[in-house]
Amino acid sequence: MSTLRSRRSPLPVIAAALLLPLAACSSGGDEASGDGGRLRVVMAFPPAQAMSPYGDDAVTLSRLAVVEGLTTLDENGAPQPALATSWKRDNATTWTFTLRDAVFQDGAKVDADAVVRSLTAAGKASPLPRVLSDTRLTATARGAGTVRIVTEDPDPLLPQRLANPSLTVLSAGAYKGGKVNPAGHATGPFTLTDVKGAVAATLERNADYWGDEAKAPGVDVTFVADGTARANALRTNAVDVAEYVPIAQASLLGDGFVHEFPSARTNGLSLNTEHGVFADPAMRAAAREAVDSKALVDGVYEGRADTSQGLLGPGVPWAAEERTAPTDRAKAAGRGEVARTKQIVLATYTNRPELPEVATIVQQQLTERGFTVKQVVRDYAQLEADALAGKYDAFIQARNTLLDTADPVSYLASDFTCDGSFNISQLCDPRVDAAIAKAASLAGTEERHRAEMTAEAAVLGADALVPLVHERFVQGYDGDRVEGVALDPMERTLITADTHVG
């Protein structure tokens, strides 16, 4: 069976079974999907940390409009008021935030003590949230409605940073038994009321929301890693919104159900710079030379992606103008030298359906260069800990470069510095650290962007990551029936208070 045909296979029986709970809880009665009815949503990534706000589950909570922080971001990545109505920078390291009048979903009042508690807990979390990889902050209450935040070093991006879902503000009820539970303790337009492991979740309208009331009475969420299953659920009207429709399914669904838009996501091949074959810079250079980005765009993404340009792609429009060539790259090892190395382990995950296919083509490209390659492909939740611990030689991931602060400096710090909390490549290079630190210290946007591209050149020069393609996002919903779905290049939002079945 060809690779292309396997991508278009019918809905697997096991995936169909996973969708049954969603169909059951959304059928019949006044609350069924329809005019003014409950939304039915299928998400790609099952909860990996029991909905903890300190990992990737925080993004899921944000995309479902459950959690909020002091600020939010507009479509250009600029900070806007959320639980804080205003803020000012008192000096290089000190900021003051004024809170709005709001209550948590459990009825407790949003006040300065709650903000201090939440930000302090995030700073003590293990592992540390990625957004705090390059900074430390201390929050103190200045009366009930004012919070002062002091950063360890000057941080001109603090208002953007505080919009990160991992810095969500929760009530005291969320912090019990040594764990953090956002269910019923957040402030968003929807309240998380039930989580069935990694299978499903239930949201209800938050009647006490400080903003516009949600138009849908609730949301029934199913988590299905299989992309074909998600697309088929949309096609058969089992769901109203399908997150991350596979490229192979886009043409089958048709333009009315497919909503494609540019992203800040780069799919890359992280190479383990500390252990194994790729601890040798010459071997990393050989791997980089082996990769053919255009073959991936044409063969896997059917033209719905862009060939690799660097760490930052077309979804970061200013990057191309400021880009500088990588420096100090090692000379690549020859095929004969590569062929004498031991087997390498190449890992990726199934939650994004294109990645296993990307891994297969990359494996072929590396094999042609002389590498012996073993693949490991599993659900992301089963791979993350080992990837962060450096147990794979190479790891293919899809990374949103603006996810943490809407500015790539946080991505650079978390993924490529010695102390970075998401450093899958295990890179520890003083030149890279210095370049990223310089960029983080600059308040001027244009000046910071230029410094960030210097840092990009240093990372690429070390061959810590080989950019593969720059994704375009495809979300699935019936544009004639479902309204208010957010198409967000930064991936912070999907379901909003405005999302409803018309």
Side-chain angles (χ1 to χ4, degrees):
M1 180 181 291
S2 71
T3 300
L4 181 59
R5 185 173 299 170
S6 67
R7 292 165 65 194
R8 293 175 174 169
S9 60
L11 176 66
V13 173
I14 188 169
L18 289 173
L19 287 170
L20 289 177
L22 182 146
C25 66
S26 300
S27 60
D30 292 338
E31 297 300 305
S33 181
D35 291 350
R38 296 179 66 85
L39 283 166
R40 302 163 302 165
V41 179
V42 58
M43 306 287 284
F45 290 87
Q49 299 100 8
M51 289 296 190
S52 166
Y54 303 139
D56 287 333
D57 289 358
V59 179
T60 299
L61 292 166
S62 176
R63 289 173 68 75
L64 291 173
V66 171
V67 298
E68 297 175 312
L70 289 179
T71 60
T72 188
L73 301 175
D74 66 16
E75 61 184 7
N76 296 316
Q80 300 294 324
L83 294 180
T85 57
S86 63
W87 51 90
K88 64 177 181 176
R89 192 175 190 180
D90 301 320
N91 57 50
T93 59
T94 305
W95 300 69
T96 299
F97 290 80
T98 301
L99 305 183
R100 75 168 62 251
D101 185 11
V103 296
F104 291 103
Q105 294 157 351
D106 58 10
K109 185 174 176 57
V110 175
D111 60 15
D113 287 340
V115 174
V116 170
R117 181 190 307 111
S118 295
L119 295 182
T120 301
K124 293 180 178 179
S126 181
L128 195 68
R130 289 193 304 263
V131 70
L132 296 178
S133 295
D134 58 339
T135 192
R136 296 291 182 272
L137 55 84
T138 302
T140 55
R142 289 291 185 268
T146 304
V147 175
R148 178 169 294 173
I149 299 178
V150 178
T151 58
E152 189 174 44
D153 299 304
D155 185 8
L157 290 173
L158 182 65
Q160 287 97 321
R161 192 182 303 276
L162 292 170
N164 187 279
S166 286
L167 301 183
T168 182
V169 178
L170 303 173
S171 70
Y175 304 94
K176 293 182 178 179
K179 298 181 180 180
V180 184
N181 178 17
H185 303 300
T187 60
F190 289 106
T191 302
L192 177 65
T193 59
D194 186 41
V195 180
K196 294 181 173 63
V199 177
T202 303
L203 314 180
E204 302 295 342
R205 178 193 286 145
N206 176 11
D208 296 321
Y209 184 53
W210 57 265
D212 293 336
E213 185 178 73
K215 293 180 178 179
V219 186
D220 298 313
V221 183
T222 313
F223 301 101
V224 177
D226 185 279
T228 301
R230 295 196 302 275
N232 279 342
L234 183 64
R235 184 182 295 112
T236 59
N237 197 33
V239 299
D240 303 307
V241 180
E243 184 185 42
Y244 300 130
V245 171
I247 297 298
Q249 297 293 320
S251 59
L252 300 179
L253 284 170
D255 292 342
F257 287 88
V258 172
H259 304 270
E260 180 181 338
F261 57 105
S263 81
R265 183 172 291 280
T266 294
N267 294 1
L269 176 68
S270 296
L271 301 176
N272 192 329
T273 64
E274 186 175 21
H275 302 292
V277 170
F278 292 125
D280 182 348
M283 292 299 171
R284 299 199 297 273
R288 182 237 311 154
E289 289 187 353
V291 169
D292 179 355
S293 176
K294 189 174 187 305
L296 297 171
V297 169
D298 294 341
V300 177
Y301 291 89
E302 301 179 6
R304 294 179 185 264
D306 297 291
T307 55
S308 61
Q309 300 174 18
L311 300 179
L312 310 179
V316 188
W318 54 263
E321 296 180 1
E322 302 291 348
R323 178 162 284 120
T324 59
T327 56
D328 300 324
R329 271 182 162 165
K331 181 179 179 181
R335 192 185 190 286
E337 187 178 356
V338 168
R340 291 192 292 271
T341 62
K342 66 179 182 179
Q343 176 180 268
I344 63 172
V345 177
L346 169 65
T348 195
Y349 44 95
T350 57
N351 307 74
R352 292 188 179 275
E354 293 80 22
L355 293 190
E357 293 185 62
V358 169
T360 296
I361 293 180
V362 170
Q363 180 182 23
Q364 294 169 354
Q365 294 173 349
L366 293 173
T367 300
E368 290 174 2
R369 187 59 189 259
F371 290 99
T372 301
V373 184
K374 174 187 176 182
Q375 272 196 59
V376 174
V377 180
R378 300 189 186 115
D379 183 272
Y380 180 79
Q382 298 174 321
L383 292 173
E384 182 183 61
D386 285 345
L388 291 173
K391 294 186 178 181
Y392 304 118
D393 297 293
F395 189 79
I396 293 176
Q397 62 171 322
R399 188 78 165 93
N400 190 324
T401 59
L402 300 184
L403 186 62
D404 292 328
T405 61
D407 186 285
V409 71
S410 291
Y411 153 71
L412 293 168
S414 66
D415 286 35
F416 302 111
T417 62
C418 295
D419 295 328
S421 62
F422 204 69
N423 190 349
I424 289 177
S425 66
Q426 313 298 306
L427 181 66
C428 188
D429 185 325
R431 295 171 300 177
V432 171
D433 276 26
I436 294 172
K438 179 180 179 180
S441 71
L442 299 173
T445 300
E446 293 183 3
E447 187 180 11
R448 185 173 64 252
H449 287 172
R450 285 192 293 271
E452 287 163 349
M453 299 315 293
T454 299
E456 180 200 67
V459 172
L460 295 176
D463 287 316
L465 182 138
V466 180
L468 299 176
V469 302
H470 304 294
E471 281 191 4
R472 301 173 196 162
F473 289 153
V474 180
Q475 308 292 17
Y477 60 92
D478 185 345
D480 292 330
R481 196 172 62 89
V482 180
E483 301 176 15
V485 177
L487 303 179
D488 177 12
M490 289 175 284
E491 299 183 84
R492 300 285 184 90
T493 55
L494 177 69
I495 302 304
T496 73
D498 288 331
T499 312
H500 66 284
V501 178

